[in-house]
Amino acid sequence: MAYFNNIEKINYEGPNSNKDMAFKFYNPDEKINGQRMEDILKFGVAYWHTFTEDLSDPFGAGTAQRPWDKFSGMDLAKARVEAAFEFYDKLGVPYFCFHDVDIAPEGDSLKETYKNLDEIVAMIKDYQKTSDVKLLWNTANNFSHPRFVHGAASSNSADVFAYAAAKVKKGLEIGKELGGESYVFWGGREGYETLLNTDMKLEMDNLGRFFHMAKDYAREIGFDAQFLIEPKPKEPTSHQYDFDVASGYAFLQNYGLEKDFKFNIEANHATLAGHTFEHELHYARIHDMLGSVDANQGHPLLGWDTDEFPTDIYSTTLAMYEILKNGGLGKGGLNFDAKVRRGSFKADDLFHAHIAGMDSFAVGLKLAQKLLDDGVIEDLISARYDSFTHGIGKEIVEGTTDFKKLEAHALGLGDINLESGSLEKIKAKINQYMLTMYK
Ligand code: XLS
Ligand code: CA
Ligand code: CA
């Protein structure tokens, strides 16, 4: 059965095409620095936003009109798998991502949930035999059900800890079964509301223990996916334990997990943390911790996780700049953890949204590569730090000086000569690159 009957395969038509259902900039086979665009960008569709989201918000019911709405229970789960593979195929996207609860309904018992999952996983596996679409990552939803009200791995209840562990254990087995390249942990309820009822030390220690057990089990079953922590500062809890990359990295180091985990960085989570998207990518990259990306954007006027499709080309350019400097994303990719707006309720909007996101990242990629090739940013930065390449600066970097020698140097100084940071000059240059690239 077909679900998107009126949609044909989405093709690349170039920047001047008038066709809405076509890529203007994303050309999978185009080579960027010798590598295919598709292989650098590694786009993924988020099952939850595209196949299970109903577009409800705290003030109103769902508005989404989906061709699978007439089904329920396991029939609905199966219809979504069929629709999903038709969608991947028509969009020409190489990867997908899901939570356990996205693909199969939870049963009355954990056993029944497993049974539902097994049935759908077998169906997905069958589809994968005739499709090139691969699993980028899967994850366990350990935050929606009321049992996780006080947390999952950081719950005050050991039974809930065990339940969460069982769901992750199953998730790792599913990831292995479907050939997942990475495995994600987003700690939706791993945080706290108030210290008045919280043993923070025990909760954090337990979280560390949980990750160790997950990693050990993955190794035991031979699942060699890249493990990823996804930081988010708040929402749903007021204090999430993995606030941002910097605090997440400190957590991983503290618990001896930094060799086994990297980060899945979401743009909207970065901005919620008061950072730019590129800050989080950069922080992870310079510590060799950049694993994957949840490609979306927040709304500049709203202080919550709006998960919009990424259309800000300035932001996608700076993000791709970091990803190229990282040498790509390895076992990660660009997962569209993004949902259409509540007013964009037609099934066609799902295609338009992904086309917008894919084109925006394709432009960002080309622009970032050009900026790198021409040394636009790199040259400015190396000139700016030139004082550390010779004289006292070199001694500082090489560790051959000390406070006494530095004081002697300072005492011998006349007026210190500082150069401009050239911010406006570089921004004008980037605008010039942006506006002339497709001429
Ligand atoms: C929620 C998160 C979530 C993770 C996966 O804000 O972005 O969707 O990506 O659990
Ligand atoms: Ca996310
Ligand atoms: Ca989000």
Side-chain angles (χ1 to χ4, degrees):
M1 176 176 166
Y3 294 82
F4 305 101
N5 282 312
N6 58 327
I7 310 282
E8 287 161 18
K9 176 131 181 72
I10 314 294
N11 292 313
Y12 170 72
E13 291 206 354
N16 297 316
S17 166
N18 285 323
K19 193 167 164 186
D20 289 332
M21 284 290 181
F23 296 115
K24 320 297 181 304
F25 305 102
Y26 176 62
N27 182 7
D29 292 320
E30 185 176 332
K31 293 269 175 69
I32 306 290
N33 200 17
Q35 228 194 325
R36 290 176 67 248
M37 231 189 217
E38 181 179 67
D39 301 335
I40 305 175
L41 294 167
K42 296 184 69 184
F43 286 130
V45 172
Y47 211 92
W48 54 104
H49 283 312
T50 295
F51 306 111
T52 62
E53 172 66 53
D54 69 357
L55 301 180
S56 54
D57 72 11
F59 303 96
T63 57
Q65 297 171 7
R66 303 289 179 246
W68 48 85
D69 282 344
K70 55 178 181 267
F71 299 103
S72 64
M74 282 297 279
D75 289 340
L76 174 59
K78 287 175 193 168
R80 282 176 172 147
V81 174
E82 291 169 358
F85 276 86
E86 185 189 339
F87 186 84
Y88 307 147
D89 194 45
K90 288 190 165 163
L91 190 64
V93 80
Y95 289 96
F96 65 105
C97 301
F98 63 82
H99 300 85
D100 46 5
V101 304
D102 305 333
I103 60 165
E106 285 196 82
D108 290 334
S109 65
L110 187 57
K111 261 197 191 137
E112 202 183 316
T113 302
Y114 282 177
K115 197 174 145 274
N116 292 348
L117 277 168
D118 288 342
E119 205 175 330
I120 300 298
V121 167
M123 187 177 170
I124 294 178
K125 206 174 173 187
D126 265 353
Y127 266 91
Q128 282 184 310
K129 284 181 194 147
T130 52
S131 151
D132 292 333
V133 184
K134 297 184 283 288
L135 177 61
L136 186 63
W137 53 258
N138 63 313
T139 185
N141 177 327
N142 282 347
F143 44 89
S144 293
H145 193 280
R147 79 175 69 85
F148 300 118
V149 62
H150 299 312
S154 64
S155 173
N156 58 307
S157 157
D159 287 343
V160 171
F161 184 101
Y163 203 104
K167 287 190 77 197
V168 170
K169 176 176 176 288
K170 185 72 177 167
L172 296 170
E173 291 159 8
I174 291 172
K176 184 178 182 228
E177 180 77 5
L178 298 179
E181 295 192 13
S182 294
Y183 187 88
V184 164
F185 294 85
W186 172 60
R189 304 274 169 196
E190 314 296 22
Y192 70 94
E193 228 175 333
T194 169
L195 282 178
L196 298 176
N197 65 10
T198 301
D199 184 341
M200 196 205 274
K201 177 80 169 71
L202 178 66
E203 291 199 0
M204 292 188 83
D205 287 351
N206 280 350
L207 200 53
R209 292 180 181 112
F210 192 92
F211 289 140
H212 271 286
M213 286 189 260
K215 171 204 87 183
D216 291 346
Y217 185 67
R219 287 220 181 116
E220 191 184 319
I221 63 171
F223 180 38
D224 63 353
Q226 174 63 54
F227 272 28
L228 301 167
I229 300 258
E230 184 181 322
K232 183 173 183 178
K234 52 193 160 206
E235 199 200 2
T237 71
S238 33
H239 303 268
Q240 297 273 135
Y241 289 135
D242 44 6
F243 187 95
D244 62 359
V245 173
S247 65
Y249 188 44
F251 173 89
L252 291 175
Q253 286 178 308
N254 206 10
Y255 291 96
L257 291 158
E258 75 278 11
K259 298 268 175 290
D260 299 287
F261 284 76
K262 287 189 175 186
F263 289 100
N264 180 40
I265 295 169
E266 178 174 320
N268 204 165
H269 296 182
T271 48
L272 273 177
H275 300 306
T276 59
F277 185 18
E278 59 273 19
H279 165 92
E280 288 291 84
L281 295 168
H282 191 102
Y283 201 105
R285 171 175 71 76
I286 61 177
H287 295 100
D288 194 22
M289 295 296 284
L290 174 52
S292 199
V293 170
D294 270 4
N296 66 9
Q297 68 187 27
H299 193 288
L301 305 181
L302 302 175
W304 64 90
D305 196 15
T306 57
D307 284 344
E308 298 181 18
F309 271 85
T311 50
D312 177 346
I313 290 172
Y314 215 98
S315 170
T316 60
T317 301
L318 297 184
M320 285 316 301
Y321 193 83
E322 292 301 329
I323 292 167
L324 290 176
K325 292 266 303 176
N326 196 54
L329 288 170
K331 291 182 172 184
L334 291 169
N335 165 49
F336 288 113
D337 190 355
K339 63 176 171 218
V340 289
R341 297 304 86 195
R342 190 163 181 266
S344 307
F345 45 75
K346 298 276 190 191
D348 286 9
D349 290 314
L350 297 172
F351 283 92
H352 291 304
H354 282 86
I355 291 170
M358 290 161 84
D359 269 344
S360 299
F361 266 93
V363 173
L365 165 61
K366 279 187 83 158
L367 208 49
Q369 184 65 54
K370 217 162 179 318
L371 292 169
L372 267 174
D373 289 345
D374 295 354
V376 174
I377 298 173
E378 297 311 289
D379 290 355
L380 178 123
I381 292 176
S382 50
R384 206 162 164 251
Y385 292 87
D386 181 64
S387 71
F388 285 95
T389 62
H390 52 83
I392 191 74
K394 194 164 184 235
E395 288 177 37
I396 293 170
V397 170
E398 289 176 352
T400 54
T401 188
D402 57 33
F403 262 27
K404 282 182 272 177
K405 287 188 211 159
L406 286 165
E407 181 189 52
H409 180 85
L411 286 170
L413 289 171
D415 283 345
I416 296 178
N417 193 19
L418 290 176
E419 299 292 341
S420 164
S422 308
L423 180 60
E424 296 78 4
K425 184 170 119 188
I426 187 90
K427 283 195 165 181
K429 186 117 221 140
I430 293 172
N431 281 351
Q432 184 190 7
Y433 269 71
M434 211 171 249
L435 294 169
T436 54
M437 192 167 63
Y438 289 95
K439 285 256 162 74

